[in-house]
Amino acid sequence: MANLIDVAKKAGVSKTLVSRVVNGQKGVGEESRKKIMKAMRELNYIPNGTARALVTGRTAMIGIILDSLCEPYFFELIKGIQHEIMNSNYHVIFCSGENSAELKEQYIDFFASGRTDGVIIYGSNYDDIELISRISQSNFPIAVIENVMEDDSVNNVIVENGYGSRLVVEHLYETGCRNILHITGTKFSKVATDRQKGYEDAMKELGLSPVTFDCGDFKIDLGEKMVEEYLQKTGRNALPDAIYFGADTLAYGGMRALKRHGIRIPEDIKIAGFDDDDPFSYGVREPLPGLTTIRQPLYNLGVETVKLLIAQIRNPGMKREKRIFYPELIVRESTKKLPE
């Protein structure tokens, strides 16, 4: 296997110049840099990452902790992170926290012990806040997506979920709905509680009475089960004008149950969700009406978070920032206004 001396000999330069190129340091002329890069390619020279980190004090690695690597919901976020990373000299390690604060803590301790230069944490579970606060006090570069940090010690990128709920409620009101039910996923998630609060505030401002049911999670089968139980208790003659689900996954399950009972969407009831998830990605194969929903700028969240984290890595003394993104309403068949 080729080493620095081999590269230096082939390029006709000193070992010191080769070392500077490998470690991304200054003091190398453009002509010499080209010779060194050419020699490295011809010799199939692969720099030793550990040795380089000892010289530069950096690993050129960033750790990414998501709640899941399998959920289709995260794909656009991952794409944004990867594309922005490609514009830098960094590489990424993706990990699944599986909604476990304990597992996330293990990953953070691993990343912060010299394996990476910084970490991005996605998640809105309230259990994560104490963990994030602890790591932020160590001055290890960190950026948080979704969970809202109250202090200014952490770079924070968030979506205004409450605003998204307001858009849904106002849209349903404009289509003639007055009895609007909300089905949420879990009260252990800030995303869920923010969406619920946005719904409740919008309903009250319109002079309507909010009614919320909690499924306990955002899974399709739980949305289906909740609607089944609701129909068993109230019967199809007491349907609300609309159901706003706190996630599209819940909405798809609820729509399945309604369809099974012969309840038409949007003729008999209007349905809205949140996230703009593709039903086929979640195994929904039966034909359902196009779902009105809230689309989050996940790609942009990924790009912006990487920019903030790398800026902090390069300038540890920089002021931490909070970036807020606003989602948009996507109107489809499930809330179509019927002719008078």
Side-chain angles (χ1 to χ4, degrees):
M1 182 179 293
N3 56 35
L4 283 180
I5 296 175
D6 298 327
V7 174
K9 286 180 179 179
K10 190 168 186 64
V13 299
S14 68
K15 178 183 174 182
T16 300
L17 283 185
V18 176
S19 178
R20 287 176 179 172
V21 171
V22 169
N23 295 313
Q25 297 173 326
K26 298 179 181 180
V28 184
E30 187 59 30
E31 185 177 345
S32 294
R33 186 181 300 277
K34 288 180 179 178
K35 287 181 181 179
I36 292 168
M37 295 300 293
K38 183 173 183 290
M40 289 170 62
R41 287 194 297 271
E42 291 177 352
L43 293 172
N44 294 319
Y45 172 74
I46 301 175
N48 186 311
T50 302
R52 181 168 53 189
L54 290 173
V55 174
T56 64
R58 291 180 181 169
T59 65
M61 299 293 297
I62 290 174
I64 314 291
I65 305 174
L66 305 177
D67 283 333
S68 171
L69 295 179
C70 301
E71 290 285 334
Y73 167 81
F74 290 104
F75 293 168
E76 277 298 304
L77 178 71
I78 291 172
K79 188 186 298 183
I81 290 173
Q82 288 181 319
H83 283 184
E84 186 57 32
I85 285 291
M86 289 169 62
N87 296 326
S88 71
N89 292 321
Y90 283 85
H91 303 280
V92 292
I93 304 173
F94 285 96
C95 297
S96 175
E98 299 179 7
N99 289 301
S100 166
E102 182 179 348
L103 183 56
K104 290 178 182 178
E105 183 172 19
Q106 292 176 16
Y107 282 133
I108 289 176
D109 288 343
F110 174 81
F111 288 144
S113 61
R115 271 85 171 192
T116 66
D117 297 333
V119 64
I120 292 173
I121 302 177
Y122 176 94
S124 68
N125 292 341
Y126 287 110
D127 289 346
D128 295 342
I129 294 178
E130 182 179 349
L131 167 63
I132 295 168
S133 297
R134 179 180 69 80
I135 195 66
S136 69
Q137 293 170 10
S138 70
N139 293 320
F140 181 68
I142 180 174
V144 177
I145 304 175
E146 280 289 17
N147 233 327
V148 180
M149 306 307 295
E150 300 302 332
D151 60 26
D152 57 359
S153 64
V154 177
N155 282 311
N156 200 183
V157 181
I158 59 176
V159 172
E160 183 48 74
N161 285 279
Y163 170 81
S165 290
R166 285 178 175 273
L167 292 179
V168 171
V169 172
E170 289 168 2
H171 166 68
L172 291 171
Y173 186 87
E174 289 171 0
T175 63
C177 298
R178 298 296 181 267
N179 180 10
I180 304 170
L181 178 69
H182 179 53
I183 294 181
T184 184
T186 171
K187 290 185 170 64
F188 298 104
S189 162
K190 184 163 179 54
V191 162
T193 54
D194 284 353
R195 292 175 187 178
Q196 180 179 337
K197 186 176 187 305
Y199 154 79
E200 292 173 348
D201 290 345
M203 291 286 285
K204 291 173 183 176
E205 288 172 12
L206 292 170
L208 307 177
S209 300
V211 179
T212 300
F213 292 96
D214 183 357
C215 284
D217 206 335
F218 290 115
K219 297 179 180 178
I220 288 180
D221 60 331
L222 294 178
E224 189 170 359
K225 179 182 177 183
M226 179 61 72
V227 171
E228 281 285 356
E229 292 177 353
Y230 181 85
L231 292 173
Q232 288 175 11
K233 290 179 181 178
T234 64
R236 58 177 297 156
N237 293 326
L239 288 175
D241 298 329
I243 302 178
Y244 162 42
F245 291 87
D248 287 353
T249 46
L250 294 176
Y252 293 135
M255 292 166 79
R256 275 178 171 173
L258 293 167
K259 182 179 179 181
R260 189 162 50 247
H261 285 270
I263 297 170
R264 301 169 301 165
I265 303 168
E267 292 85 355
D268 299 325
I269 188 171
K270 291 178 171 55
I271 302 295
F274 203 117
D275 290 330
D276 196 25
D277 281 328
D278 180 357
F280 292 98
S281 298
Y282 288 90
V284 179
R285 297 292 180 263
E286 64 265 45
L288 296 173
L291 179 63
T292 290
T293 186
I294 295 294
R295 177 182 294 163
Q296 302 186 67
L298 294 173
Y299 179 91
N300 293 336
L301 258 68
V303 169
E304 196 63 32
T305 307
V306 171
K307 287 181 178 178
L308 287 175
L309 183 63
I310 291 179
Q312 182 184 349
I313 292 170
R314 293 173 175 168
N315 181 16
M318 69 171 284
K319 182 180 179 182
R320 309 300 184 254
E321 296 186 41
K322 187 186 298 292
R323 300 282 173 84
I324 301 175
F325 286 79
Y326 289 84
E328 62 176 318
L329 177 70
I330 306 298
V331 178
R332 298 193 178 102
E333 184 183 356
S334 67
T335 60
K336 183 178 179 181
K337 189 172 184 179
L338 303 176
E340 297 292 340

